[in-house]
Short mmCIF file of all heavy atoms in Angstrom, two decimals:
data_model
loop_
_atom_site.label_atom_id
_atom_site.label_comp_id
_atom_site.label_asym_id
_atom_site.label_seq_id
_atom_site.Cartn_x
_atom_site.Cartn_y
_atom_site.Cartn_z
N GLY A 488 -37.85 -10.58 -16.18
CA GLY A 488 -36.58 -11.36 -15.99
C GLY A 488 -35.78 -10.77 -14.88
O GLY A 488 -36.10 -9.78 -14.21
N MET A 489 -34.59 -11.31 -14.66
CA MET A 489 -33.70 -10.82 -13.62
C MET A 489 -33.16 -9.45 -13.91
O MET A 489 -32.85 -9.09 -15.10
CB MET A 489 -32.49 -11.74 -13.52
CG MET A 489 -32.82 -13.12 -12.93
SD MET A 489 -33.51 -13.01 -11.27
CE MET A 489 -32.33 -12.06 -10.45
N SER A 490 -33.14 -8.58 -12.98
CA SER A 490 -32.70 -7.23 -13.26
C SER A 490 -31.48 -6.83 -12.31
O SER A 490 -30.89 -5.83 -12.48
CB SER A 490 -33.83 -6.18 -12.99
OG SER A 490 -34.35 -6.22 -11.64
N VAL A 491 -31.25 -7.69 -11.34
CA VAL A 491 -30.03 -7.30 -10.42
C VAL A 491 -29.16 -8.51 -10.27
O VAL A 491 -29.60 -9.70 -10.09
CB VAL A 491 -30.71 -6.87 -9.03
CG1 VAL A 491 -29.51 -6.63 -8.08
CG2 VAL A 491 -31.53 -5.65 -9.14
N PHE A 492 -27.86 -8.24 -10.38
CA PHE A 492 -26.84 -9.32 -10.10
C PHE A 492 -25.75 -8.73 -9.20
O PHE A 492 -25.59 -7.56 -9.22
CB PHE A 492 -26.32 -9.88 -11.43
CG PHE A 492 -27.27 -10.65 -12.22
CD1 PHE A 492 -28.14 -10.06 -13.12
CD2 PHE A 492 -27.35 -12.12 -12.09
CE1 PHE A 492 -28.97 -10.78 -13.88
CE2 PHE A 492 -28.20 -12.77 -12.83
CZ PHE A 492 -29.05 -12.14 -13.72
N VAL A 493 -25.06 -9.56 -8.59
CA VAL A 493 -23.87 -9.27 -7.83
C VAL A 493 -22.63 -9.82 -8.57
O VAL A 493 -22.64 -10.99 -8.94
CB VAL A 493 -24.03 -9.68 -6.40
CG1 VAL A 493 -22.62 -9.47 -5.64
CG2 VAL A 493 -25.13 -9.06 -5.65
N GLU A 494 -21.71 -8.96 -8.67
CA GLU A 494 -20.37 -9.35 -9.35
C GLU A 494 -19.48 -9.85 -8.26
O GLU A 494 -19.01 -9.16 -7.37
CB GLU A 494 -19.86 -8.05 -10.08
CG GLU A 494 -18.70 -8.25 -10.94
CD GLU A 494 -18.30 -6.98 -11.62
OE1 GLU A 494 -17.58 -6.15 -10.93
OE2 GLU A 494 -18.83 -6.68 -12.64
N GLU A 495 -19.05 -11.06 -8.43
CA GLU A 495 -18.16 -11.72 -7.50
C GLU A 495 -16.81 -12.04 -8.15
O GLU A 495 -16.80 -12.51 -9.30
CB GLU A 495 -18.70 -13.04 -6.96
CG GLU A 495 -19.77 -12.93 -5.93
CD GLU A 495 -20.16 -14.25 -5.26
OE1 GLU A 495 -19.74 -15.23 -5.75
OE2 GLU A 495 -20.81 -14.21 -4.25
N TYR A 496 -15.68 -11.72 -7.50
CA TYR A 496 -14.37 -11.99 -7.96
C TYR A 496 -13.90 -13.21 -7.10
O TYR A 496 -13.76 -13.06 -5.95
CB TYR A 496 -13.49 -10.82 -7.85
CG TYR A 496 -13.71 -9.72 -8.88
CD1 TYR A 496 -14.70 -8.84 -8.68
CD2 TYR A 496 -12.89 -9.70 -10.03
CE1 TYR A 496 -14.89 -7.82 -9.70
CE2 TYR A 496 -13.13 -8.71 -11.01
CZ TYR A 496 -14.10 -7.75 -10.79
OH TYR A 496 -14.36 -6.81 -11.78
N ASP A 497 -13.54 -14.28 -7.77
CA ASP A 497 -13.18 -15.46 -7.04
C ASP A 497 -12.11 -16.26 -7.87
O ASP A 497 -11.97 -15.94 -8.99
CB ASP A 497 -14.40 -16.35 -6.70
CG ASP A 497 -14.15 -17.40 -5.69
OD1 ASP A 497 -13.07 -17.37 -5.01
OD2 ASP A 497 -15.05 -18.25 -5.48
N ARG A 498 -11.47 -17.18 -7.10
CA ARG A 498 -10.47 -17.98 -7.85
C ARG A 498 -11.08 -19.06 -8.80
O ARG A 498 -12.13 -19.69 -8.45
CB ARG A 498 -9.74 -18.76 -6.78
CG ARG A 498 -8.60 -19.74 -7.31
CD ARG A 498 -8.01 -20.60 -6.29
NE ARG A 498 -8.86 -21.51 -5.69
CZ ARG A 498 -9.30 -22.76 -6.24
NH1 ARG A 498 -8.88 -22.94 -7.50
NH2 ARG A 498 -10.13 -23.46 -5.69
N HIS A 499 -10.50 -19.11 -9.98
CA HIS A 499 -10.88 -20.19 -10.87
C HIS A 499 -9.51 -20.79 -11.41
O HIS A 499 -8.84 -20.12 -12.07
CB HIS A 499 -11.68 -19.68 -12.07
CG HIS A 499 -11.97 -20.67 -13.07
ND1 HIS A 499 -12.96 -21.73 -12.94
CD2 HIS A 499 -11.56 -20.92 -14.37
CE1 HIS A 499 -12.93 -22.50 -13.96
NE2 HIS A 499 -12.19 -22.03 -14.84
N ASN A 500 -9.31 -22.01 -10.90
CA ASN A 500 -7.93 -22.63 -11.10
C ASN A 500 -6.96 -21.66 -10.36
O ASN A 500 -7.08 -21.50 -9.23
CB ASN A 500 -7.62 -22.88 -12.60
CG ASN A 500 -8.57 -23.90 -13.15
OD1 ASN A 500 -9.02 -24.77 -12.56
ND2 ASN A 500 -8.82 -23.67 -14.44
N LEU A 501 -5.97 -21.11 -11.09
CA LEU A 501 -5.08 -20.21 -10.50
C LEU A 501 -5.27 -18.73 -10.93
O LEU A 501 -4.32 -17.96 -10.89
CB LEU A 501 -3.67 -20.60 -10.77
CG LEU A 501 -3.15 -21.86 -10.01
CD1 LEU A 501 -1.77 -22.24 -10.47
CD2 LEU A 501 -3.23 -21.67 -8.47
N ASN A 502 -6.47 -18.46 -11.43
CA ASN A 502 -6.75 -17.07 -12.01
C ASN A 502 -7.88 -16.48 -11.21
O ASN A 502 -8.79 -17.16 -10.67
CB ASN A 502 -7.01 -17.15 -13.47
CG ASN A 502 -5.86 -17.67 -14.29
OD1 ASN A 502 -4.73 -17.12 -14.12
ND2 ASN A 502 -6.10 -18.64 -15.13
N LEU A 503 -7.95 -15.18 -11.19
CA LEU A 503 -9.00 -14.44 -10.60
C LEU A 503 -10.05 -14.21 -11.67
O LEU A 503 -9.75 -13.76 -12.76
CB LEU A 503 -8.51 -13.06 -10.09
CG LEU A 503 -9.62 -12.22 -9.36
CD1 LEU A 503 -9.99 -12.89 -8.01
CD2 LEU A 503 -9.01 -10.82 -9.08
N ARG A 504 -11.33 -14.64 -11.38
CA ARG A 504 -12.37 -14.61 -12.38
C ARG A 504 -13.54 -13.85 -11.82
O ARG A 504 -13.88 -14.01 -10.66
CB ARG A 504 -12.84 -16.07 -12.79
CG ARG A 504 -13.73 -16.05 -13.92
CD ARG A 504 -14.23 -17.49 -14.34
NE ARG A 504 -15.02 -18.10 -13.26
CZ ARG A 504 -15.58 -19.16 -13.38
NH1 ARG A 504 -15.53 -19.87 -14.45
NH2 ARG A 504 -16.38 -19.64 -12.37
N LYS A 505 -14.23 -13.13 -12.71
CA LYS A 505 -15.42 -12.37 -12.34
C LYS A 505 -16.60 -13.09 -12.90
O LYS A 505 -16.55 -13.62 -14.07
CB LYS A 505 -15.34 -10.96 -12.96
CG LYS A 505 -16.63 -10.12 -12.75
CD LYS A 505 -16.49 -8.78 -13.34
CE LYS A 505 -16.47 -8.82 -14.88
NZ LYS A 505 -16.51 -7.48 -15.53
N CYS A 506 -17.66 -13.27 -12.10
CA CYS A 506 -18.87 -13.78 -12.54
C CYS A 506 -20.06 -13.16 -11.86
O CYS A 506 -19.95 -12.53 -10.87
CB CYS A 506 -18.93 -15.39 -12.26
SG CYS A 506 -18.71 -15.79 -10.51
N GLN A 507 -21.22 -13.30 -12.51
CA GLN A 507 -22.40 -12.71 -12.00
C GLN A 507 -23.22 -13.67 -11.21
O GLN A 507 -23.42 -14.87 -11.54
CB GLN A 507 -23.30 -12.20 -13.20
CG GLN A 507 -22.65 -11.32 -14.22
CD GLN A 507 -22.44 -9.99 -13.65
OE1 GLN A 507 -23.09 -9.63 -12.65
NE2 GLN A 507 -21.59 -9.22 -14.34
N VAL A 508 -23.71 -13.28 -10.06
CA VAL A 508 -24.47 -14.22 -9.08
C VAL A 508 -25.78 -13.58 -8.85
O VAL A 508 -25.96 -12.45 -8.65
CB VAL A 508 -23.66 -14.29 -7.77
CG1 VAL A 508 -24.48 -15.08 -6.72
CG2 VAL A 508 -22.31 -14.85 -7.94
N GLU A 509 -26.79 -14.47 -8.97
CA GLU A 509 -28.19 -14.10 -8.71
C GLU A 509 -28.62 -14.04 -7.31
O GLU A 509 -28.49 -15.04 -6.59
CB GLU A 509 -29.04 -15.16 -9.55
CG GLU A 509 -30.54 -15.00 -9.28
CD GLU A 509 -31.37 -16.12 -9.74
OE1 GLU A 509 -30.70 -17.17 -10.27
OE2 GLU A 509 -32.55 -16.17 -9.68
N PRO A 510 -29.04 -12.90 -6.85
CA PRO A 510 -29.60 -12.88 -5.44
C PRO A 510 -30.88 -13.71 -5.40
O PRO A 510 -31.61 -13.89 -6.32
CB PRO A 510 -29.87 -11.35 -5.22
CG PRO A 510 -29.10 -10.72 -6.32
CD PRO A 510 -29.09 -11.64 -7.50
N ARG A 511 -31.10 -14.21 -4.15
CA ARG A 511 -32.30 -15.01 -3.93
C ARG A 511 -32.95 -14.50 -2.57
O ARG A 511 -32.35 -14.56 -1.60
CB ARG A 511 -31.96 -16.51 -3.74
CG ARG A 511 -31.17 -17.08 -4.92
CD ARG A 511 -32.05 -17.93 -5.75
NE ARG A 511 -31.43 -18.44 -6.88
CZ ARG A 511 -31.86 -19.49 -7.55
NH1 ARG A 511 -32.85 -20.09 -7.14
NH2 ARG A 511 -31.22 -19.88 -8.60
N THR A 512 -34.17 -14.14 -2.73
CA THR A 512 -34.79 -13.45 -1.52
C THR A 512 -35.67 -14.54 -0.74
O THR A 512 -36.37 -15.35 -1.30
CB THR A 512 -35.76 -12.35 -2.01
OG1 THR A 512 -34.99 -11.52 -2.73
CG2 THR A 512 -36.34 -11.62 -0.76
#
Side-chain angles (χ1 to χ4, degrees):
M489 292 302 303
S490 61
V491 176
F492 291 87
V493 174
E494 187 178 87
E495 286 190 346
Y496 286 82
D497 196 9
R498 179 188 65 79
H499 178 68
N500 296 325
L501 288 176
N502 297 308
L503 184 66
R504 187 182 67 172
K505 177 180 69 175
C506 56
Q507 304 288 344
V508 177
E509 172 191 1
R511 305 253 178 162
T512 305

